[in-house]
Amino acid sequence: MGENAAPDFYYVAMDFGGHGLSSHYSSGVPYYHQTFVSEIRRVVAGGIVGGMFSCIFPEMVNKLILLDSPLLLLESNEVENLLTYKRRTIEHMLQVEASQEPSRVYSLKQLLQRLLKSNSHLNEECGELLLQRGTTKVAAGLVLNRDQRLSWPENSVDLVSRELYAHSIRKLQAHVLFIKAVHGYFDVRRENYSDKESLSFMIHTLKSTLKEQFQFVEIPGNHYVHMSEPQHVATIISSFLQHKHMLTAL
């Protein structure tokens, strides 16, 4: 998508620890979104992590783009399971570290089939793009770069209350663009998520607090629309970066 974006800006695509081409954390060190925020801080001197960074270091962010991702994750019914998640994080981490199994080698076809099976909204072309950064070539095929300790996303999620969410929004100094895919985040990432009221609350709070500093654009597509329709998304982002006027839905 970067090749279609406004040329007068410098774009950085980070691989957090345990992701893509970055190193894995040492044994005994868990993965948390707040840790990823500190990684951005080192680089700066995206998504939920970018939103958290913008609230913690508001003076460092002029414009924030949320690409089919909430600013922060609200606690919902899942808060009842929070301690279970914390326990499972520790147990899963210890289990993975104790196994000491060598990285399994796959063919590109095997990995692509596996990826598409677990992500029904992803097409083959986008799947191949994700695997380019998510794998490393070895003599017998490909190995996955992603740390096994990240296999359960909820283990690293930092849920916040509505009060903390509203307080965090008030700390923002950035202009915020929220691009929401019609069949996006809550459909792809949270297929069993039924409380859409939380998303409405988040958008309403952003609008009422940031006022003209907040822009919301809803576009056709799913969570991977930035990969399947990069020119469309890049046009919206470029307009936001280059101009101060409000955007209209395309």
Side-chain angles (χ1 to χ4, degrees):
M1 187 181 71
E3 62 186 15
N4 298 304
D8 299 328
F9 296 87
Y10 186 78
Y11 302 92
V12 178
M14 281 188 62
D15 284 337
F16 296 129
H19 296 76
L21 303 180
S22 291
S23 301
H24 295 182
Y25 287 1
S26 300
S27 297
V29 180
Y31 291 90
Y32 294 115
H33 281 177
Q34 189 168 329
T35 312
F36 297 151
V37 169
S38 67
E39 293 182 8
I40 294 179
R41 180 63 182 85
R42 288 178 183 273
V43 173
V44 171
I48 297 172
V49 178
M52 188 181 295
F53 180 90
S54 300
C55 295
I56 296 175
F57 299 99
E59 75 283 358
M60 297 184 66
V61 182
N62 180 254
K63 292 190 176 183
L64 172 66
I65 300 168
L66 301 172
L67 185 50
D68 200 52
S69 174
L71 182 81
L72 298 167
L73 278 178
L74 278 183
E75 64 178 26
S76 58
N77 294 333
E78 290 193 26
V79 72
E80 299 176 3
N81 302 317
L82 196 55
L83 292 179
T84 301
Y85 288 161
K86 296 297 183 183
R87 173 173 176 161
R88 193 163 67 180
T89 298
I90 296 171
E91 292 178 340
H92 178 64
M93 178 182 67
L94 295 176
Q95 180 183 4
V96 171
E97 293 176 356
S99 66
Q100 297 295 321
E101 295 179 357
S103 298
R104 182 178 174 183
V105 180
Y106 300 88
S107 67
L108 176 60
K109 182 178 180 180
Q110 286 176 317
L111 284 178
L112 189 57
Q113 289 177 341
R114 173 179 166 176
L115 182 61
L116 296 179
K117 183 178 180 180
S118 59
N119 296 272
S120 59
H121 293 73
L122 197 63
N123 62 38
E124 188 170 328
E125 181 181 2
C126 294
E128 290 181 351
L129 287 173
L130 289 174
L131 290 175
Q132 286 180 15
R133 201 175 189 113
T135 60
T136 296
K137 289 184 179 180
V138 295
L142 299 171
V143 295
L144 291 169
N145 294 335
R146 189 179 180 88
D147 195 322
Q148 294 180 56
R149 290 174 290 178
L150 286 162
S151 58
W152 287 334
E154 64 266 27
N155 288 346
S156 62
V157 166
D158 299 296
L159 298 174
V160 301
S161 66
R162 294 187 177 217
E163 291 77 13
L164 181 55
Y165 183 88
H167 175 74
S168 300
I169 299 301
R170 290 194 292 271
K171 292 293 183 180
L172 282 174
Q173 297 180 20
H175 287 257
V176 179
L177 167 64
F178 186 176
I179 300 176
K180 174 71 175 69
V182 173
H183 302 291
Y185 175 81
F186 285 94
D187 297 287
V188 177
R189 297 295 187 185
R190 308 283 289 277
E191 292 181 354
N192 297 321
Y193 188 81
S194 58
D195 185 13
K196 300 296 176 66
E197 192 272 334
S198 292
L199 179 61
S200 298
F201 170 82
M202 289 188 282
I203 295 174
H204 173 74
T205 304
L206 284 165
K207 286 181 178 179
S208 60
T209 304
L210 299 180
K211 297 181 171 57
E212 69 275 1
Q213 287 181 239
F214 177 68
Q215 301 176 32
F216 178 78
V217 180
E218 190 169 49
I219 60 176
N222 58 47
H223 185 67
Y224 304 100
V225 66
H226 62 293
M227 300 175 67
S228 59
E229 300 289 341
Q231 292 180 324
H232 186 189
V233 178
T235 298
I236 298 172
I237 291 176
S238 296
S239 181
F240 173 71
L241 292 175
Q242 293 175 320
H243 304 290
K244 295 182 179 180
H245 59 74
M246 294 293 290
L247 296 173
T248 56
L250 300 180

